[in-house]
Amino acid sequence: MNFFQKFIDSRILGVLFLTVAGTAGAQSTPPSSVDASFIQSTRGIADELLGQLGQKLKAAMATDGPVAPVSVCKEAAPSIAHQLSLANQAKVTRVGTRVRNQNMGVPNAWQKEALTQFETRLSQGEKATDIEYWQVGDNGQGKSELRYAKAIAVQPQCLSCHGSAQDIVAQLAEKLRLEYPNDQATGYSAGQLRGAVVITRPLP
Ligand code: HEC
């Protein structure tokens, strides 16, 4: 087999692989079968969650000292996610590559798959804010649902609560230990994948 044949064979294998991956239904771009406005509004929910939470966190960290913002996260994050879920007939939450809130933050099977894909894409130099995952799946009752994940990367301002021991002041570390005895979500550095916003919505 000469070089050219090998090249062609690997191209064919590549196409085969993409086809198989495609039939599994997961993709980095929105599924063409879903209405563009539904795609946009799904992205909008994720942006809303990240935006509202970011603002709350920023305000609390500027005025309330190092420890109080933990409570802001503890109450505000689930409550904003809950409100957005109700308003949009969706299931909206955040999941982590390592998890702090063991009730809400543990990824299920498709969300794990999304996180694994995100790690690879981030390491290949894709910009975190552009990294998305889309899937149409069965909701378990014979209806179709749209599944969407958007990458969340660690930023420098996250390290005071998700960084390593020297980033987290003692008082705050103590508060985290009390509130989250099974906390896994420390030891991160800036630029790493922290997790994803995940949204599940029944298709109209
Ligand atoms: C003031 C401390 C604090 C800061 C700063 C902070 N977090 Fe968190 N983070 C928390 C707490 C507390 C939770 C658990 C919230 C809950 O109970 O739902 C959490 C949970 C999360 C989760 C959900 C998954 C899990 O592990 O439960 C993600 C994702 C997350 N944080 C990302 C970030 C990112 C990204 C930043 C920076 C932009 C950040 N956090 C900054 C305290 C903080």
Side-chain angles (χ1 to χ4, degrees), residues 7 10 19 28 41 69 73 96 101 104-105 111 113 122 124 127 139 151 154 156 174 178 198-199:
F7 177 68
S10 66
T19 311
S28 53
S41 76
C73 267
N101 180 336
M104 290 187 73
Q111 294 160 0
E113 189 187 301
L122 205 60
Q124 288 168 347
K127 229 174 100 196
N139 73 348
V154 177
E174 183 55 27
L178 286 173
V198 293
I199 301 178

Side-chain angles (χ1 to χ4, degrees), residues 50 53-54 57 60-61 65-79 93-106 152-162 172 176 179-180 183-185 188 194-197:
L50 292 174
L53 199 58
L57 196 59
M61 287 172 80
V67 176
V70 172
S71 312
V72 172
C73 267
K74 186 170 187 212
E75 273 123 48
S79 125
T93 186
R94 295 183 306 168
V95 294
T97 45
R98 297 198 300 274
V99 179
R100 175 158 292 165
N101 180 336
Q102 305 291 331
N103 297 321
M104 290 187 73
V106 181
I152 303 175
V154 177
Q155 295 160 41
Q157 70 268 30
C158 315
L159 297 178
S160 59
C161 294
H162 294 294
L172 198 152
L176 286 175
E179 300 276 3
Y180 301 94
D183 187 11
Q184 311 284 317
Y188 286 94
R194 173 66 188 88
V197 181

Side-chain angles (χ1 to χ4, degrees), residues 1-203:
M1 193 191 285
N2 65 26
F3 172 78
F4 187 67
Q5 264 174 322
K6 268 195 197 148
F7 177 68
I8 294 291
D9 283 356
S10 66
R11 292 285 295 261
I12 290 172
L13 270 181
V15 170
L16 273 179
F17 176 76
L18 280 178
T19 311
V20 171
T23 51
Q27 22 184 330
S28 53
T29 51
S32 54
S33 60
V34 178
D35 199 60
S37 64
F38 200 70
I39 297 290
Q40 278 317 320
S41 76
T42 304
R43 283 184 171 133
I45 299 170
D47 291 344
E48 186 73 30
L49 176 67
L50 292 174
Q52 281 192 32
L53 199 58
Q55 266 173 11
K56 276 231 155 87
L57 196 59
K58 206 169 154 194
M61 287 172 80
T63 55
D64 299 348
V67 176
V70 172
S71 312
V72 172
C73 267
K74 186 170 187 212
E75 273 123 48
S79 125
I80 296 169
H82 184 64
Q83 275 161 23
L84 286 170
S85 298
L86 289 179
N88 297 284
Q89 285 151 331
K91 247 192 326 208
V92 184
T93 186
R94 295 183 306 168
V95 294
T97 45
R98 297 198 300 274
V99 179
R100 175 158 292 165
N101 180 336
Q102 305 291 331
N103 297 321
M104 290 187 73
V106 181
N108 66 17
W110 73 261
Q111 294 160 0
K112 265 195 200 128
E113 189 187 301
L115 291 176
T116 307
Q117 201 189 91
F118 288 179
E119 296 272 20
T120 309
R121 290 166 61 188
L122 205 60
S123 73
Q124 288 168 347
E126 241 183 285
K127 229 174 100 196
T129 45
D130 294 341
I131 299 181
E132 298 178 316
Y133 174 101
W134 300 91
Q135 192 184 75
V136 173
D138 189 285
N139 73 348
Q141 290 152 8
K143 293 222 170 87
S144 291
E145 65 183 19
L146 180 66
R147 298 164 182 168
Y148 171 66
K150 182 181 171 71
I152 303 175
V154 177
Q155 295 160 41
Q157 70 268 30
C158 315
L159 297 178
S160 59
C161 294
H162 294 294
S164 48
Q166 68 264 31
D167 299 315
I168 305 176
V169 301
Q171 232 182 331
L172 198 152
E174 183 55 27
K175 172 90 172 165
L176 286 175
R177 243 193 312 278
L178 286 173
E179 300 276 3
Y180 301 94
N182 300 313
D183 187 11
Q184 311 284 317
T186 55
Y188 286 94
S189 45
Q192 284 185 318
L193 185 69
R194 173 66 188 88
V197 181
V198 293
I199 301 178
T200 308
R201 288 179 98 182
L203 280 170

